[in-house]
Amino acid sequence: MSNGQAIRMTESRKAILSVLGRTRAHPTADEVYSMVREDLPKVSLGTVYRNLDLLAKQGLIRTLASAGEQRRYDGMVDDHHHIRCEVCGRMDDIEVGNAELLDELIIDGRGYDVHGYTLCFSGVCREYAGNGKSHEQNGKGQGE
Amino acid sequence: MSNGQAIRMTESRKAILSVLGRTRAHPTADEVYSMVREDLPKVSLGTVYRNLDLLAKQGLIRTLASAGEQRRYDGMVDDHHHIRCEVCGRMDDIEVGNAELLDELIIDGRGYDVHGYTLCFSGVCREYAGNGKSHEQNGKGQGE
DNA sequence: GCACTAATCGGAACCATTCCCAGTTTGTGC
DNA sequence: GCACAAACTGGGAATGGTTCCGATTAGTGC
Ligand SMILES: [Mn+2]
Ligand SMILES: [Mn+2]
Ligand SMILES: [Zn+2]
Ligand SMILES: [Zn+2]
């Protein structure tokens, strides 16, 4: 998905890549911001947003934008899927067995030129299990 | 997915249901707002939002909240899937062949109590086909 | 009609993200 | 190293979808 020509690799971009490279947590922009500031105390939030966008367009990171939630970013660009906790909003990687089945999906695209799809699971993470409240606490449920 | 006890069916709620019942377009909140105002010229946007939420919690409508985009609402509550145009943002229903394959997906939930999943396709609608710009025009690409 | 509650209105507040711009850094050609 | 243009940056204001709040209205049971 690398787009356009290569961009200059500035300090802030290196720092962002490094942050995303060493966490498994799918941080939000402001989490990336505060982590980057440990190394480069003067970066601005705007720069972090701008560069997260750029890096994503280059295909060097991935953007996880789910359902009315704050955007999250992922340093792992290989194809994989995610699950979001409906209670606390955290996102984790998941393993999908039979993943190859997904490519068998044949759709009537209604005249669309179909580019891809998004598959995201939802549930409740271990930490909040047993909290099975029916009323919402945080996330907006299933989104789609 | 009907939640809580039944709500009173006020004029504005009936109007919203009616609007969503007779369109296939998956309108946004402000589109619903202006359509409802053709019948009830005094409804406020806040009321529309509040009631869209309520009706969704009742399971009478569905919320389509995709990737940093404005939320959309769907009067069709039976299970089906969608595709979003990356250029203009419109959303349409799609037919997924082999839909039953989706239930075969076995995942390692990483300790999550898995509730469901979201599957949304992306592409370019007929109206904007041939416009295959590589630079973004509108949507944020794939989201997830 | 009266009391009590739920629903609504209108507008302000919220907040993640984007935009703007003056100043700085970087790359390039000499 | 020097000059110049292009790319990048910080800081702060603007944006816009959504939520929140105080005041008003409509409904319901008596
Ligand atoms: Mn991931
Ligand atoms: Mn639909
Ligand atoms: Zn959780
Ligand atoms: Zn389109």
Side-chain angles (χ1 to χ4, degrees):
Chain A
M1 190 126 302
S2 163
N3 232 344
Q5 61 251 36
I7 56 177
R8 193 185 302 185
M9 197 48 59
T10 65
E11 286 307 307
S12 56
R13 288 167 196 172
K14 271 188 274 192
I16 290 173
L17 279 181
S18 152
V19 159
L20 287 180
R22 57 187 140 85
T23 179
R24 301 188 144 214
H26 310 99
T28 60
D30 52 298
E31 285 163 353
V32 172
Y33 174 55
S34 67
M35 288 190 274
V36 166
R37 276 166 79 92
E38 287 169 18
D39 297 332
L40 289 77
K42 318 201 52 130
V43 276
S44 71
L45 181 58
T47 296
V48 169
Y49 268 107
R50 179 167 17 83
N51 286 331
L52 284 169
D53 268 10
L54 272 171
L55 294 170
K57 280 198 186 109
Q58 293 287 122
L60 299 175
I61 64 176
R62 284 223 281 159
T63 303
L64 312 179
S66 51
E69 290 289 306
Q70 215 167 332
R71 235 170 263 165
R72 293 176 176 278
Y73 297 89
D74 195 338
M76 164 68 59
V77 296
D78 302 341
D79 251 333
H80 63 287
H81 302 282
H82 295 100
I83 186 164
R84 191 176 74 82
C85 174
E86 292 162 7
V87 179
C88 68
R90 70 177 284 174
M91 261 187 142
D92 283 295
D93 295 336
I94 56 165
E95 207 62 49
V96 174
N98 303 357
E100 67 284 358
L101 290 181
L102 290 172
D103 299 323
E104 312 279 322
L105 289 176
I106 300 180
I107 71 164
D108 166 10
R110 289 283 172 93
Y112 274 75
D113 178 13
V114 181
H115 290 179
Y117 61 83
T118 277
L119 176 65
C120 185
F121 292 82
S122 61
V124 179
C125 75
R126 205 190 318 259
E127 187 166 353
Y128 287 89
N131 249 6
K133 312 270 181 52
S134 58
H135 72 76
E136 91 305 346
Q137 287 106 319
N138 178 348
K140 336 286 213 258
Q142 264 241 174
E144 151 80 347
Chain B
M1 192 124 301
S2 164
N3 232 344
Q5 61 252 33
I7 57 178
R8 189 187 315 188
M9 198 49 59
T10 65
E11 286 307 306
S12 57
R13 288 168 197 173
K14 270 189 275 194
I16 289 173
L17 279 181
S18 152
V19 159
L20 288 180
R22 57 186 140 84
T23 180
R24 300 186 146 216
H26 311 97
T28 60
D30 51 298
E31 285 163 353
V32 172
Y33 175 54
S34 65
M35 289 190 273
V36 166
R37 275 166 80 94
E38 287 169 18
D39 297 332
L40 289 78
K42 318 200 52 128
V43 276
S44 71
L45 181 58
T47 296
V48 169
Y49 268 107
R50 179 167 19 81
N51 286 330
L52 284 169
D53 269 10
L54 271 171
L55 293 169
K57 280 196 186 111
Q58 293 287 315
L60 299 175
I61 64 175
R62 283 223 281 160
T63 304
L64 312 179
S66 52
E69 289 290 305
Q70 214 167 332
R71 240 170 258 166
R72 293 175 175 278
Y73 298 89
D74 195 340
M76 164 68 59
V77 296
D78 303 340
D79 250 334
H80 63 286
H81 302 281
H82 296 99
I83 185 163
R84 190 175 75 81
C85 174
E86 292 162 7
V87 179
C88 67
R90 70 176 285 174
M91 260 187 142
D92 284 295
D93 295 336
I94 55 166
E95 207 62 49
V96 175
N98 303 356
E100 68 283 358
L101 290 181
L102 289 172
D103 299 323
E104 313 279 322
L105 290 175
I106 300 180
I107 70 164
D108 166 10
R110 289 285 172 93
Y112 274 75
D113 179 12
V114 181
H115 289 177
Y117 61 83
T118 277
L119 176 65
C120 184
F121 291 83
S122 61
V124 179
C125 75
R126 205 190 316 259
E127 187 167 353
Y128 288 88
N131 250 4
K133 313 269 179 54
S134 59
H135 72 77
E136 91 305 347
Q137 286 107 319
N138 179 349
K140 339 289 215 249
Q142 263 240 175
E144 147 82 350

